[in-house]
Amino acid sequence: MATASSAPQPEPAKNASPRFESWGRFPTLDATVLPMRWQGDFPGMIDGVHGGALAVGMGRSYGDVCLLKDGTLLKTTSMNRLLGVDANTGLLTAEAGISLAAILDFAVPRGFFLPVAPGTKYVTLGGAIANDIHGKNHHNAGTFGCHVTQFELVRSDGTRRLCTPTENPDYFGATIGGLGLTGVIRWAQIRLRPIVSRMIDYQGTQFHGIDEFLAINEQSQNVEYTVSWIDANSTGRNFARGIFMRGHHSNVPAPLAKSKLPKLVFPFDAPGFALNSATVGLFNTVFFHKQMKKTVTALQDYEPYFFPLDKVLHWNRMYGKRGLLQFQYAIPWEHAREGTEAVLRAVSKSGLASFLAVLKAFGDVPSPGLMSFPRPGLTLALDFPIKPEKSFALFQRLADMTREFGGRLYPAKDAAMTPSQFRAFYPQWERFARYKDPVLTSAFWERVMGEEAAR
Amino acid sequence: MSDFSTVDPSTQEPLLQLRASEIAAKAPRVPKRILVLGATSGIAEACCRLWAERGDSLFLVARDPEKLSAVAADMHTRGATYVGSSIANLDDTAAHPELLAHAINSLAGLDIALVALGVLGDQSQAERNFARAAEILHTNFAAPASLLTWLGNYCAQRHSGTLAALSSVAGDRGRKSNYVYGSSKAGLSAFVAGLRNRIDREGVRVMTIKPGPVRTAMTEGMKGSEKFADVNEVAEAIVKAIDEGTDVLYVPGKWRVIMAVIRAIPERIFKKLNL
């Protein structure tokens, strides 16, 4: 008769809701989840609540920047209203919990596109700012934060600040890439870019080795979008083979319909043995040879071009219950080549399967964000299924290598960097900490602050 | 003159037909004039988005100015032809006639009214203290009945319009866990059925909407809420049913079957169940 509970019943919300998971599904931490539906809900909604709080969105960051142990997560996804748009300038204002998918559904039929599109459209506007996300156009457009014109920040004491590059510029900079720790973003304004078609002119080129990659990259400076898939498993002749994917928005006017909803859902948690070096090696070989010719050109819809994995909802279940560990570095040009080769060698030698390895050159457009991750050089993103004895040791080895090569790791994808690594990667953390809200915190912040956070 | 007489009608006619169909396809849809009472409720807001996206005109009424202005801005941005709004506490039934007249005046007429005000209330408090129960009954039954009385008479006079009232499957049978809320909705369902019986023949569509549990901010965090219906899917069903003039809508549709079963349980058994 459980189905007969025909109408909403008042139940204490605490701990009754399902656990909020990050995309990597590691670590798993229990927190109270409270829905934030209106801009005025915070800070009143945490009156009398003990422990820290953190605004979260769709849980697409991989590690623990969107988690909190025994605290209160303020889920912003139903605070998702569009507040205004200027059809001439492309300036769009919306509440922070709106997803980029919803922004695209609204903007594309009107001839506009995101200024920076990440690898999934299922992230919120607030999350995109808090992680200062980047996309395939970083080399010419910079980060998402470069296209944020203003937002309103509310602190746990109730004070509200309009933040722009000129008004409260310190809070503006600290909040972009500030991991949600400087306050709760009520709404934000971004500048969209015009398009005349959904289509992307795509060109994929095979390469073997980092030098070939760098040569193609050098020739692609004026191409709007560049990214490469790279085989992180193969050794020998096939070491660092990959496909360099270039694209730009088609200039040929074409219908600008709204996207259809995805129908595929990864239905269950795959067993732990499903992803091993054999299956991943096979995947990578097939992926490489799916493109038969050295170079392929095509006209492709923006959905599969930008968000290939969004086609399958909950694809992270492929990694099973134990989840996955992401690793993404940015290494400055000075050591980018040797660093990338060394890391790829360490990964392929480890035998820990990684597919969906992505390599891209970051450009030098500065972000307004104080704690922003990207910097000029190369960025490599890898993921591993979590195998308790091996994955973390490999991660630490790669993190140390990143540090030696003068690089840094991306908090949005991290579940394992140590306090000393964090401080080396982000020496500006002390300045940032001055803008942190005393009530807001995250599992990530507590982890990388170590004893500092306990005070 | 002679030129006209030489035109062969057999070649001209298909041309004209083609043009007429082209014009029909390109003609802008006449925006519906829609009044939404309780516009900041999760279900009402989701319906408004669908109406705004297709360019309808909206007049929104709710109590909280900040929430109402956020919803109004959203509808305006999404493409509503017109968005008007009034801040009002709809528990104040004496103010209804003036408010409704103003709203319809602003919309320059009325095609659809969605009566969506309602509170969940706290059953255990309402059991102990009738003042709490009376508040629930007033907001969920008496106030909508007042609105529907005025709107019913307005529409009946003009022989047009659709009145849609948001009731609940909880009104189909009283249960110990929420019978105060349930009885307020039972009263509303009966009121709407009677009004339909009275003015349907005048050309007014009167509609009872009975949602099952819906995942909105109000229910998020409740036990089992991840299994509740998605509010956007519920809104799509409601907007479609309003277009089609359905009498009673259970949404999602499975609740029609579930509630038929629940209503069929004999009382001597039902009274011992924990529902």
Side-chain angles (χ1 to χ4, degrees):
Chain A
M1 291 310 294
T3 49
S5 60
S6 55
Q9 299 158 33
E11 293 263 359
K14 286 206 167 190
N15 298 326
S17 52
R19 177 190 284 142
F20 190 84
E21 285 183 340
S22 72
W23 197 242
R25 307 176 85 187
F26 175 87
T28 51
L29 301 173
D30 277 314
T32 304
V33 182
L34 292 181
M36 178 167 174
R37 189 174 164 220
W38 304 99
Q39 292 179 45
D41 286 353
F42 180 83
M45 67 193 294
I46 57 163
D47 277 353
V49 165
H50 296 287
L54 179 69
V56 296
M58 305 190 78
R60 274 341 190 257
S61 44
Y62 285 80
D64 54 1
V65 297
C66 64
L67 299 177
L68 193 51
K69 192 173 177 334
D70 303 326
T72 307
L73 296 178
L74 318 175
K75 195 161 184 272
T76 57
T77 48
S78 38
M79 186 178 80
N80 58 11
R81 295 167 193 90
L82 292 164
L83 300 176
V85 69
D86 184 328
N88 297 316
T89 58
L91 285 171
L92 176 99
T93 312
E95 291 179 336
I98 195 171
S99 70
L100 298 192
I103 291 179
L104 284 167
D105 281 348
F106 173 78
V108 168
R110 290 166 172 81
F112 285 102
F113 200 75
L114 293 169
V116 166
T120 170
K121 59 178 179 173
Y122 297 120
V123 300
T124 60
L125 176 59
I129 295 170
N131 292 290
D132 198 18
I133 60 172
H134 54 269
K136 298 171 176 52
N137 59 354
H138 184 273
H139 59 287
N140 54 53
T143 62
F144 195 85
C146 297
H147 307 273
V148 174
T149 48
Q150 53 176 315
F151 55 81
E152 192 187 7
L153 189 72
V154 58
R155 304 270 290 183
S156 60
D157 61 8
T159 49
R160 287 159 60 173
R161 283 183 181 81
L162 179 70
C163 300
T164 78
T166 52
E167 194 164 338
N168 292 306
D170 46 350
Y171 275 97
F172 186 76
T175 302
I176 293 172
L179 304 174
L181 302 170
T182 60
V184 173
I185 301 171
R186 289 163 64 108
W187 55 264
Q189 185 183 59
I190 58 171
R191 192 185 301 277
L192 301 171
R193 54 107 63 224
I195 53 169
V196 296
S197 165
R198 290 177 58 93
M199 306 307 277
I200 300 289
D201 277 321
Y202 165 82
Q203 186 182 53
T205 307
Q206 290 179 345
F207 62 85
H208 284 87
I210 301 299
D211 290 329
E212 267 188 51
F213 164 85
L214 290 170
I216 302 172
N217 187 63
E218 194 56 40
Q219 299 156 16
S220 309
Q221 287 311 299
N222 296 323
V223 176
E224 187 168 11
Y225 299 110
T226 66
V227 70
S228 296
W229 163 82
I230 187 163
D231 180 351
N233 287 82
S234 296
T235 49
R237 196 164 54 86
N238 288 331
F239 177 71
R241 65 177 172 178
I243 297 174
F244 197 104
M245 298 180 270
R246 314 199 282 183
H248 62 86
H249 290 283
S250 167
N251 301 322
V252 183
L256 290 161
K258 187 164 140 177
S259 296
K260 299 203 170 39
L261 288 172
K263 293 227 164 49
L264 298 172
V265 178
F266 202 88
F268 56 86
D269 295 327
F273 57 81
L275 289 183
N276 53 48
S277 53
T279 56
V280 171
L282 185 66
F283 171 89
N284 281 331
T285 299
V286 168
F287 195 101
F288 187 78
H289 290 292
K290 194 176 78 172
Q291 172 166 337
M292 301 294 286
K293 290 185 234 141
K294 172 87 179 152
T295 300
V296 163
T297 58
L299 196 61
Q300 192 180 27
D301 189 78
Y302 79 78
E303 286 278 346
Y305 181 75
F306 284 104
F307 315 120
L309 292 169
D310 283 349
K311 256 197 303 197
V312 185
L313 297 172
H314 294 296
W315 63 260
N316 55 345
R317 289 176 182 166
M318 184 172 66
Y319 284 88
K321 276 210 167 62
R322 278 202 299 245
L324 70 142
L325 208 55
Q326 266 265 347
F327 172 84
Q328 183 172 357
Y329 67 58
I331 295 183
W333 282 121
E334 196 190 345
H335 299 295
R337 190 190 166 286
E338 50 172 328
T340 301
E341 276 206 357
V343 167
L344 282 171
R345 275 189 210 290
V347 172
S348 59
K349 210 174 91 187
S350 76
L352 271 176
S354 172
F355 64 125
L356 312 171
V358 170
L359 183 64
K360 168 158 177 65
F362 278 149
D364 53 12
V365 181
S367 165
L370 176 58
M371 295 287 282
S372 184
F373 158 69
R375 57 187 302 179
L378 285 182
T379 185
L380 176 71
L382 306 167
D383 50 9
F384 319 100
I386 292 181
K387 308 230 153 121
E389 326 77 57
K390 296 170 79 183
S391 307
F392 292 95
L394 173 66
F395 184 95
Q396 287 309 331
R397 204 152 63 243
L398 299 183
D400 286 338
M401 290 169 74
T402 302
R403 189 170 171 177
E404 282 158 29
F405 290 116
R408 59 163 74 130
L409 297 185
Y410 188 15
K413 295 199 172 175
D414 178 71
M417 74 169 96
T418 63
S420 81
Q421 284 163 352
F422 175 74
R423 285 161 204 216
F425 295 149
Y426 296 93
Q428 69 274 40
W429 72 271
E430 273 178 302
R431 193 147 66 87
F432 169 73
R434 292 207 289 270
Y435 298 99
K436 186 188 161 291
D437 187 287
V439 172
L440 301 178
T441 186
S442 66
F444 173 86
W445 185 253
E446 313 246 316
R447 174 163 61 80
V448 298
M449 283 295 103
E451 284 171 15
E452 220 93 18
R455 283 197 269 131
Chain B
M1 282 291 280
S2 61
D3 280 344
F4 284 113
S5 59
T6 57
V7 172
D8 178 359
S10 67
T11 59
Q12 196 183 23
E13 214 170 39
L15 260 174
L16 275 172
Q17 273 175 1
L18 185 75
R19 291 197 54 193
S21 68
E22 262 180 339
I23 289 162
K26 281 180 185 166
R29 187 178 152 274
V30 179
K32 291 266 196 296
R33 297 158 297 182
I34 305 175
L35 168 60
V36 184
L37 298 148
T40 53
S41 95
I43 292 177
E45 187 184 7
C47 291
C48 286
R49 285 188 181 179
L50 297 172
W51 286 322
E53 278 162 16
R54 67 186 199 188
D56 289 334
S57 293
L58 297 169
F59 195 94
L60 313 173
V61 181
R63 194 173 39 202
D64 185 306
E66 233 185 86
K67 294 176 182 177
L68 185 58
S69 87
V71 173
D74 189 35
M75 300 316 152
H76 181 73
T77 308
R78 281 172 200 275
T81 296
Y82 164 81
V83 183
S85 63
S86 270
I87 300 151
N89 180 356
L90 291 170
D91 282 345
D92 179 9
T93 54
H96 286 178
E98 196 186 332
L99 172 77
L100 294 170
H102 167 66
I104 290 173
N105 201 25
S106 305
L107 285 170
L110 183 73
D111 298 306
I112 298 167
L114 176 64
V115 179
L117 63 152
V119 291
L120 206 51
D122 183 326
Q123 168 70 21
S124 61
Q125 273 192 27
E127 284 169 15
R128 291 192 298 272
N129 180 352
F130 180 70
R132 296 284 91 77
E135 286 165 10
I136 297 171
L137 295 173
H138 184 81
T139 302
N140 291 357
F141 176 55
S146 160
L147 295 166
L148 287 164
T149 299
W150 194 98
L151 290 167
N153 293 336
Y154 174 88
C155 291
Q157 264 179 20
R158 285 158 189 78
H159 305 289
S160 76
T162 298
L163 305 178
L166 208 56
S167 187
S168 166
V169 295
D172 278 17
R173 194 158 190 179
R175 306 180 290 116
K176 72 171 185 179
S177 59
N178 71 347
Y179 64 83
V180 177
Y181 174 83
S183 62
S184 69
K185 291 298 193 181
L188 181 61
S189 293
F191 187 94
V192 173
L195 183 66
R196 174 163 53 242
N197 189 220
R198 188 190 121 206
I199 63 173
D200 182 79
R201 63 198 66 186
E202 307 290 341
V204 184
R205 299 281 83 78
V206 182
M207 191 180 153
T208 320
I209 301 165
K210 296 185 177 180
V214 178
R215 199 166 55 238
T216 62
M218 185 167 76
T219 60
E220 204 168 337
M222 280 185 188
K223 216 185 274 178
S225 65
E226 71 277 8
K227 295 192 193 83
F228 290 5
D230 178 74
V231 69
N232 295 317
E233 285 166 26
V234 167
E236 268 174 42
I238 291 172
V239 166
K240 182 161 171 277
I242 289 175
D243 286 343
E244 290 168 356
T246 309
D247 293 325
V248 180
L249 174 74
Y250 282 86
V251 54
K254 66 177 181 186
W255 286 97
R256 183 178 292 276
V257 180
I258 295 169
M259 294 320 293
V261 171
I262 288 180
R263 280 196 310 272
I265 300 171
E267 192 59 36
R268 68 192 152 77
I269 297 169
F270 192 84
K271 70 183 180 188
K272 297 201 169 70
L273 299 176
N274 291 311
L275 293 175

